[in-house]
Amino acid sequence: MDIRQQKILAALENKDTSVHFDDALDNQMILNMGPQHPATHGVLRLLIKLDGETVVACVPELGYLHRGYEKLAENVSYHEFIPHTDRLDYLSPLMNNTAYVLAVEKLVGIEAPKRAQYIRTIISELARISSHLLGVGALAMDIGALTVFTWTFREREKMYDIFELLTGARFTTSFTRVGGIAHDMTPEVKTAITGFIDQFPEKFNDCIKMLNTNRIFVERLEGVGVISKEKAVAMGMCGPNIRGVGIEHDLRRKEPYLVYNELDFNIPVFYNGDSLSRYYVRVNEVKESIKIIRQCLEKIPDGPVHANEPKKVLPRKERVYTKMEELIHDFMLINFGVNPPVGEVYHAVEASKGELGFYIQSRGEGHPWRLKIRSPSFMNLQSTPLLVEGRMISDIVAILGSLDPVMGEADK
Amino acid sequence: MGLEHALGDSAFTTTIDSAINWCRKNSVWPMPLGISCCGIEMMAFAMPRFDVSRFGAEVFRFSPRQSDLLIVAGTTTYKMATVVRKIYDQMPDPKWVVAMGACTSSGGMYRTYSVVQGIDQFLPVDVYVAGCPPRPDNLLHALIMIQEKIQRGESRSTPMTVAAERAEKQQLLQIQGINN
Amino acid sequence: MIQNVVQKLQEKFSPRIISVNEFRGEFTVVVKKEEIVSLCLFLRDHEECQFDYCSDLCGADAYTPENRFEVIYNLYSMSLNHRIRIKVFVDESSLHCPSVTSVWPGAEWPERETFDMYGIVFDGNNDMRRMYMPEEFEYYPLRKDFPMMGIPDSIPLPRK
C-alpha cells in the first residue's frame, strides 16, 4: 500500500467519533466514494468507515482538480489573471471576476465609476441566481427528482443568452477589468434582462412547488446534517450554510461593497441548522436577488464605465488605435502591468457559496508576489465529517448536495 | 469489432456489419467524466435546449461497465490521471474517447506542475473538441463525428482488422511448421 | 474599534510584537511565532476583540536569507464586525510553527494546505497530511525555487 493510503487509513482509524456500537459481529467496513461519482459535486473523494449502513467516520480527500492557480498568479500580470478567476467557481464566473477586480482595485487605490458599479452588481446577482439554480437542481437530482434539474437548466439557458448578449461568451466571461468593466451595457441588454426578470419568478415557483411540499424531499432533508451555531463558526463555514444555522452573516450587509448599501433587500436566515434550512436559504436568496436586480435597473445612472486613471486602467481600443498617449499607456499596462504600491490587502465578497476572499501581497511589480484565494467551498467541506457522522450512507448525498461545494474552487 | 470477428469476411457479413454499426451509432451510451467547467457544458448538452437524446445518447450511465463512449470533460491533473485510466480500462470493447475542451486536448491555459498536458499522453483519443468550454453545439458535432467513425467501423481499442488478424495467424502457423 | 484592539495588543504583548503596520485601512500585527497561540486565545476570548472566525490562514515565501517564510492569519469577528491580520515569520532552518487548531478547529485544513505548499510543519495539528498534491510528491510547489511548469517525472503517469 502506498504512503497516501497508509496515512488516510491512519487518519480514519484515529479520528474521534461520537458514535459507538455494541455489536458482537463488529462488521466495520471502509468504503471509497471515489472521485468519479454521480453524486459528489465534482471530483471529491470521500473515505467512509461504515458500520452496516451507519457512518462512523469520514475523511474527504481533495486535490483531484488542483491546477496551481496561486503559482500561476505569481507569474502573470493582474489583468492576465482575470480569465483564470472565471474558472474558480465555474457556476457563477461573473461573481469571481468582480471579486478579484475589487481586491486589485483596493490594492491599487482606485474606484470604478458609479455606472460600472451598478452593472457589476447586476451581473453578480445574476450569477448568484444561476449558481443557486444549479445548486437546487443538483440537490433535487441527487434526491431523485430529475425533472427539477431539467427545468432549472432551462432557466439557466435563458441567462446564458443574456450573458452572451452582454459579454460575448456564454459561460467564461472575463467581463470586469481593473477600474471598470470591459464595455458598456446596451439598451438591448437592459430589455433582455427586464424580460427575463419579468417571467422568471413564476417559472421558479413552478420548480420549487415540486419540492417544497413533497413529502419525500422534506423527509429526506429534515433533521439531516445538523450542525450547531458555535461549531459552524469555529469550523469557518460561510454562505447559505451559515445562514441556515441561524447566524445572520452576510458581507453585503456587514462590509458593503459595490452599491449594496443603497439597495433595499433582506437576508434570509433559518434556524434549524439542517439540510432543509440550507435549501430554504438558497431559495429565498434567489427571490431577494431578483429584487436587487430590479432596483438596480431602475436606479442605474448614465456615465462612463472606466475610471479616469490613465496609468492604471486599460484605455478604450478606439483611442488606442488613434491617439498617441493611449497607445503608450496600453503598451505599458499590457507589458509591465498595473504597478500597485508595496503592501498587502485582503478583500472578501459574498459569493454564492460564501465568503470569497483574495489576499494579495504586492512588491510594486506588475504581477502579484503572493495571491491567496480564500475559497468558500474549501472551508465548507471541512465540516463534512461533522455533518455526516452518525447518519446513513444515503444521507451523505443529501448533505453534500445541501452544502453545495464546487471543486474548481475548493481545489484551486 | 466483436461479433463480426467471429463470422469472418464475406458479402453477407459486410451487410450485417453495417447494420450492426448503424444500431451501435444510434444508441451510443456516453460515460460522462465531468471534472470541471466543461462538465457544466456537458450537462447543458444533455438538457432540453441542446437535446442529445435526439441522437440516442441521453442514457448517461455513470458506470463504465455499461457505456461505450468516454467523454473526458475538464482539466485532468496527474492525480486524476490514474483514475481516468482505470475507468477507461474498465469499459468493454469497442470504446471511443472524446477529449472535450482545451484542457484535455493539450493542457489548456494551465501550463503548471500538476496538469497533464493533454490526455493523449495516456489514453487513445478519437475526437478532440476545441473551446474553453466548447459550446454544446460543438460537442454535438463531436458526437456526430464519433457516429460517422462507428459507421465506418473504426475503433482505436481493436486495432486489427479481420484480414490482418488472419494474416498474423498464418504467419504463426508457418513459424510453428518450420519449428516442427 | 480596531485601533482599540491594536492598542490593547500592544499593551499586553508589547515586547513580543515585532511591528504593527497599516495599509488601506487594514492593520497587520507581526509577532514572534512562539507567542501565536496565546495571542490568538487573547484575540478570541477578550470582550473587545472577539475574533471567533478564522477567515484565512496562508503561507508566503519572501525569498530572503533569514525569516524566509511567513504565515498569515486573517481573522474576522462576527459580533463586532472588524478584521485584523496577524503575521508570523518562520525561518528556513526550523520549519515548525505552533498550530492554532486548539483555538479555531477550522484552521486545520488551511494549515495542511500551507504544509503541502511550503513545507511548514504545524506542531499540534495531528493530521499533517498533504492536501492537494499526492502523498508521494517530494517537493513543495509554492516555494519560489520550484518551477511553475513542474519537474518532469515528479508524479507518475499511467502508461498508454
Side-chain angles (χ1 to χ4, degrees):
Chain A
M1 224 190 291
D2 54 343
I3 312 175
R4 178 183 51 149
Q5 307 274 49
Q6 279 174 346
K7 284 200 178 181
I8 290 182
L9 276 175
L12 265 180
E13 303 283 323
N14 295 338
K15 278 235 183 282
D16 278 325
T17 172
S18 57
V19 178
H20 296 280
F21 278 94
D22 278 327
D23 195 356
L25 287 179
D26 193 23
N27 52 350
Q28 291 201 338
M29 165 174 78
I30 295 182
L31 185 68
N32 173 31
M33 206 161 144
Q36 187 272 322
H37 188 102
T40 59
H41 290 234
V43 282
L44 168 66
R45 181 180 184 201
L46 284 179
L47 287 125
I48 320 168
K49 189 164 158 194
L50 293 167
D51 191 333
E53 270 215 22
T54 318
V55 176
V56 168
C58 163
V59 172
E61 185 182 342
L62 305 183
Y64 288 93
L65 194 52
H66 177 66
R67 299 180 265 201
Y69 271 113
E70 300 177 350
K71 190 83 184 176
L72 259 179
E74 294 173 8
N75 290 294
V76 301
S77 69
Y78 289 95
H79 273 113
E80 285 177 19
F81 194 64
I82 297 177
H84 285 103
T85 57
D86 273 334
R87 276 94 177 154
L88 273 177
D89 174 4
Y90 40 77
L91 300 176
S92 56
L94 287 164
M95 175 102 60
N96 310 338
N97 288 345
T98 318
Y100 172 68
V101 154
L102 281 173
V104 176
E105 283 177 3
K106 185 174 183 184
L107 180 64
V108 171
I110 63 177
E111 203 179 298
K114 265 300 183 195
R115 188 176 166 92
Q117 292 190 12
Y118 270 93
I119 296 181
R120 281 180 186 174
T121 317
I122 294 177
I123 59 181
S124 291
E125 293 302 318
L126 279 174
R128 190 189 307 270
I129 296 179
S130 141
S131 169
H132 282 327
L133 274 177
L134 200 142
V136 164
L139 171 65
M141 179 170 81
D142 290 341
I143 304 285
L146 207 45
T147 319
V148 178
F149 190 60
T150 46
W151 286 2
T152 56
F153 254 88
R154 190 190 57 196
E155 298 304 310
R156 287 188 91 227
E157 288 287 337
K158 295 179 193 160
M159 294 180 77
Y160 278 173
D161 281 342
I162 297 179
F163 292 153
E164 206 171 8
L165 204 52
L166 174 63
T167 69
R170 271 164 61 102
F171 189 17
T172 46
T173 48
S174 316
F175 184 52
T176 54
R177 302 280 184 270
V178 177
I181 52 180
H183 46 258
D184 204 350
M185 186 169 90
T186 57
E188 210 180 25
V189 175
K190 198 165 171 181
T191 354
I193 299 181
T194 329
F196 173 72
I197 295 287
D198 286 335
Q199 56 90 47
F200 179 67
E202 188 190 315
K203 295 278 163 62
F204 188 57
N205 274 336
D206 277 343
C207 301
I208 297 304
K209 245 186 336 183
M210 303 260 294
L211 299 173
N212 271 352
T213 45
N214 187 337
R215 188 171 157 189
I216 301 177
F217 189 74
V218 169
E219 283 197 13
R220 266 199 83 165
L221 290 184
E222 198 164 14
V224 164
V226 181
I227 192 169
S228 65
K229 266 194 196 185
E230 297 77 27
K231 272 214 170 315
V233 171
M235 294 300 283
M237 269 180 123
C238 46
N241 304 313
I242 211 172
R243 290 195 279 281
V245 188
I247 301 181
E248 194 176 329
H249 172 67
D250 190 332
L251 286 172
R252 295 177 286 176
R253 267 286 141 75
K254 289 205 167 168
E255 297 182 343
Y257 54 96
L258 293 179
V259 292
Y260 285 108
N261 43 1
E262 299 170 18
L263 298 171
D264 168 39
F265 61 100
N266 304 325
I267 309 291
V269 176
F270 284 82
Y271 296 91
N272 284 344
D274 60 359
S275 306
L276 197 59
S277 339
R278 295 192 274 266
Y279 159 77
Y280 282 143
V281 169
R282 290 201 168 92
V283 166
N284 287 326
E285 271 188 12
V286 170
K287 299 184 179 159
E288 295 298 321
S289 292
I290 300 177
K291 257 193 341 200
I292 294 178
I293 297 178
R294 255 193 250 265
Q295 290 176 40
C296 282
L297 283 174
E298 286 167 26
K299 287 185 175 177
I300 188 168
D302 285 325
V305 287
H306 291 85
N308 192 9
E309 291 267 345
K311 298 249 184 305
K312 308 276 182 212
V313 179
L314 281 175
R316 309 303 316 278
K317 276 293 187 222
E318 56 266 14
R319 296 181 77 85
V320 170
Y321 290 133
T322 49
K323 304 255 190 248
M324 194 54 179
E325 283 212 3
E326 272 78 1
L327 179 65
I328 299 177
H329 286 143
D330 191 64
F331 175 75
M332 299 296 284
L333 279 171
I334 298 283
N335 282 351
F336 302 111
V338 175
N339 289 24
V342 177
E344 49 193 351
V345 282
Y346 175 80
H347 184 80
V349 145
E350 183 74 23
S352 45
K353 309 284 191 274
E355 176 184 332
L356 173 64
F358 284 91
Y359 169 72
I360 312 181
Q361 262 188 8
S362 147
R363 284 202 180 177
E365 298 164 330
H367 58 89
W369 181 258
R370 168 79 166 113
L371 185 132
K372 168 86 168 50
I373 305 168
R374 190 270 186 198
S375 80
S377 304
F378 184 69
M379 303 303 264
N380 285 341
L381 277 175
Q382 201 177 18
S383 9
T384 316
L386 286 174
L387 291 170
V388 156
E389 252 175 33
R391 312 290 325 177
M392 309 272 178
I393 302 185
S394 36
D395 292 331
I396 299 181
V397 166
I399 291 171
L400 272 183
S402 73
L403 273 184
D404 201 9
V406 166
M407 296 320 285
E409 215 174 27
D411 276 348
K412 295 198 269 287
Chain B
M1 299 185 290
L3 182 60
E4 308 83 83
H5 259 228
L7 295 176
D9 259 349
S10 77
F12 179 54
T13 49
T14 43
T15 334
I16 292 195
D17 254 352
S18 27
I20 291 181
N21 285 339
W22 180 85
C23 295
R24 267 195 187 128
K25 84 171 186 190
N26 282 322
S27 64
V28 178
W29 283 12
M31 158 96 198
L33 205 54
I35 303 175
S36 71
C37 356
C38 281
I40 307 293
E41 287 294 43
M42 189 172 62
M43 283 193 237
F45 140 95
M47 287 293 127
R49 184 184 275 200
F50 300 98
D51 200 12
V52 78
S53 61
R54 47 196 167 132
F55 296 97
E58 88 273 16
V59 176
F60 272 51
R61 291 284 183 232
F62 287 92
S63 161
R65 300 265 186 216
Q66 295 174 4
S67 54
D68 31 29
L69 173 67
L70 177 69
I71 306 181
V72 186
T75 321
T76 317
T77 54
Y78 281 92
K79 207 169 172 181
M80 192 67 194
T82 27
V83 176
V84 176
R85 181 75 211 186
K86 246 192 206 173
I87 292 177
Y88 178 74
D89 289 334
Q90 285 178 346
M91 286 169 66
D93 276 341
K95 51 195 175 185
W96 296 271
V97 174
V98 169
M100 179 177 174
C103 291
T104 44
S105 310
S106 68
M109 59 197 305
Y110 302 106
R111 185 76 174 91
T112 58
Y113 51 89
S114 61
V115 172
V116 181
Q117 303 294 304
I119 61 172
D120 46 12
Q121 295 195 4
F122 59 92
L123 275 186
V125 176
D126 291 296
V127 174
Y128 298 85
V129 189
C132 189
R135 282 188 66 113
D137 334 34
N138 220 343
L139 193 56
L140 280 175
H141 184 61
L143 183 66
I144 294 175
M145 280 172 81
I146 293 269
Q147 285 185 341
E148 286 168 9
K149 260 198 162 181
I150 298 177
Q151 184 66 61
R152 291 195 298 265
E154 292 170 9
S155 167
R156 302 275 295 258
S157 57
T158 48
M160 288 202 249
T161 58
V162 177
E165 202 175 337
R166 208 181 292 141
E168 194 176 304
K169 248 190 232 166
Q170 277 202 329
Q171 266 190 343
L172 274 171
L173 285 171
Q174 272 186 344
I175 295 174
Q176 280 182 350
I178 293 176
N179 281 350
N180 283 349
Chain C
M1 279 310 309
I2 189 71
Q3 281 90 343
N4 290 359
V5 171
V6 177
Q7 236 176 349
K8 280 232 155 29
L9 275 181
Q10 275 176 318
E11 283 165 25
K12 187 152 195 266
F13 288 91
S14 131
R16 297 159 287 185
I17 288 190
I18 303 179
S19 66
V20 173
N21 20 358
E22 192 245 334
F23 181 70
R24 303 272 186 248
E26 302 176 358
F27 283 88
T28 308
V29 177
V30 184
V31 291
K32 291 210 173 85
K33 70 178 181 188
E34 291 81 16
E35 302 302 322
I36 185 69
V37 182
S38 47
L39 186 78
C40 289
L41 276 170
F42 175 77
L43 283 172
R44 188 190 67 175
D45 297 327
H46 191 85
E47 55 179 9
E48 277 192 28
C49 309
Q50 291 187 27
F51 285 103
D52 47 2
Y53 191 74
C54 178
S55 223
D56 194 18
L57 207 166
C58 54
D61 182 357
Y63 213 48
T64 48
E66 25 174 89
N67 285 339
R68 180 175 172 187
F69 296 108
E70 310 168 342
V71 179
I72 298 134
Y73 303 78
N74 282 304
L75 308 172
Y76 175 71
S77 161
M78 286 270 180
S79 35
L80 299 177
N81 194 15
H82 48 211
R83 288 187 187 268
I84 196 174
R85 188 176 308 129
I86 314 284
K87 229 194 233 200
V88 156
F89 287 124
V90 175
D91 196 48
E92 200 172 351
S93 50
S94 83
L95 280 173
H96 286 256
C97 181
S99 161
V100 293
T101 42
S102 47
V103 183
W104 301 288
E108 187 188 331
W109 275 22
E111 285 184 352
R112 273 178 62 194
E113 188 198 335
T114 315
F115 166 66
D116 187 16
M117 295 283 126
Y118 288 100
I120 303 174
V121 178
F122 287 88
D123 309 314
N125 185 341
N126 32 12
D127 194 13
M128 265 283 117
R129 284 178 289 142
R130 278 188 178 260
M131 182 96 231
Y132 290 141
M133 303 309 293
E135 201 62 50
E136 303 86 36
F137 196 63
E138 293 143 10
Y139 309 95
Y140 298 108
L142 272 179
R143 291 191 176 183
K144 290 285 177 182
D145 44 3
F146 186 79
M148 181 173 92
M149 301 192 191
I151 295 179
D153 291 332
S154 47
I155 325 181
L157 196 60
R159 283 180 335 130
K160 195 161 179 176

